[in-house]
Amino acid sequence: MRPMSRMVLVLALTLLAWGVAAWDAVRLQQQAATRSEAVRLQVAALIDLASRSRGWTAEDRGRQVNGFFNRRIEWREDMEVWLRLDYWASPLEMFDKGAGDCEDIAMGKYFTLLGLCLPPTSLRMVYVKANHEGRVQAHMVLAWYPHPNGEPMILDNLNPDLLPASQRRDLQPVFSFTAEGLWQ
């Protein structure tokens, strides 16, 4: 399977397994109860964030979710965390380790924003070439489109600021995808 097709398939399957309903507080707590104390604490903090978000604008939700994951999840390569070259962790698996790579972190943000009622059509996973620390590397970010066909805001773990894509000159988009499709 081609890498792009594989990524779309992985996201689609993950959406089915960990979709919006998975971010329901009761279901999340039930799932967390079968896991480690670290997962239970992270889920409690996530539920707290969701309960506080009721009066927030969509931009505030994006900013808060971006910060939540950037502060709580240490970026580490899959080989360090999972002893595999490429592993797409579920949000609960990532919470258990307290670490994840860029895809794991971007997916955690994606599912959380879906759970906070941002429309699925406003969110896309974006595979980019990132100029980071003097070298170009493959990287994944989450793009949030406040307006259809408008400029997306970028949620990222390399740069913690929620910025419009035009202000992220360090990123060169390659393709973006959701469970619905793939865009180049």
Side-chain angles (χ1 to χ4, degrees), residues 66-144:
N66 195 47
F68 179 91
F69 283 91
N70 290 346
R71 283 187 308 275
R72 293 171 173 274
I73 304 300
E74 180 184 355
W75 179 89
R76 293 203 340 240
E77 303 232 4
D78 284 335
M79 190 54 84
E80 290 178 65
V81 179
W82 301 105
L83 305 176
R84 297 183 194 176
L85 283 177
D86 189 30
Y87 182 76
W88 288 45
S90 73
L92 295 181
E93 289 173 314
M94 181 176 56
F95 285 162
D96 188 46
K97 298 287 187 177
D101 68 1
C102 56
E103 300 100 54
D104 303 334
I105 295 168
M107 279 198 306
K109 294 172 185 182
Y110 180 90
F111 292 126
T112 301
L113 289 171
L114 286 176
L116 296 181
C117 300
L118 265 65
T121 56
S122 72
L123 300 170
R124 287 189 190 173
M125 300 285 287
V126 186
Y127 176 72
V128 300
K129 291 180 183 177
N131 187 345
H132 182 66
E133 297 179 349
R135 67 182 181 97
V136 176
Q137 63 188 41
H139 186 55
M140 186 77 64
V141 298
L142 179 63
W144 164 59

Side-chain angles (χ1 to χ4, degrees), residues 1-15 78 85-88 101-104 106-107 110-111 124-128 138-141 174-183:
M1 184 179 294
R2 293 180 30 220
M4 287 191 287
S5 300
R6 182 174 175 269
M7 286 185 196
V8 172
L9 177 62
V10 166
L11 182 64
L13 292 173
T14 305
L15 280 170
D78 284 335
L85 283 177
D86 189 30
Y87 182 76
W88 288 45
D101 68 1
C102 56
E103 300 100 54
D104 303 334
M107 279 198 306
Y110 180 90
F111 292 126
R124 287 189 190 173
M125 300 285 287
V126 186
Y127 176 72
V128 300
H139 186 55
M140 186 77 64
V141 298
V174 178
F175 63 88
S176 63
F177 61 97
T178 65
E180 303 300 316
L182 174 72
W183 296 266

Side-chain angles (χ1 to χ4, degrees), residues 136-183:
V136 176
Q137 63 188 41
H139 186 55
M140 186 77 64
V141 298
L142 179 63
W144 164 59
Y145 291 78
H147 307 287
N149 302 317
E151 181 178 18
M153 302 294 283
I154 303 300
L155 289 83
D156 185 14
N157 62 297
L158 294 179
N159 181 335
D161 298 326
L162 184 66
L163 295 171
S166 62
Q167 292 183 25
R168 292 299 308 272
R169 299 193 198 298
D170 58 320
L171 303 179
Q172 179 185 354
V174 178
F175 63 88
S176 63
F177 61 97
T178 65
E180 303 300 316
L182 174 72
W183 296 266

Side-chain angles (χ1 to χ4, degrees), residues 35-43 95-98:
R35 296 182 175 257
S36 70
E37 180 67 15
V39 173
R40 290 190 293 276
L41 291 172
Q42 294 285 35
V43 165
F95 285 162
D96 188 46
K97 298 287 187 177

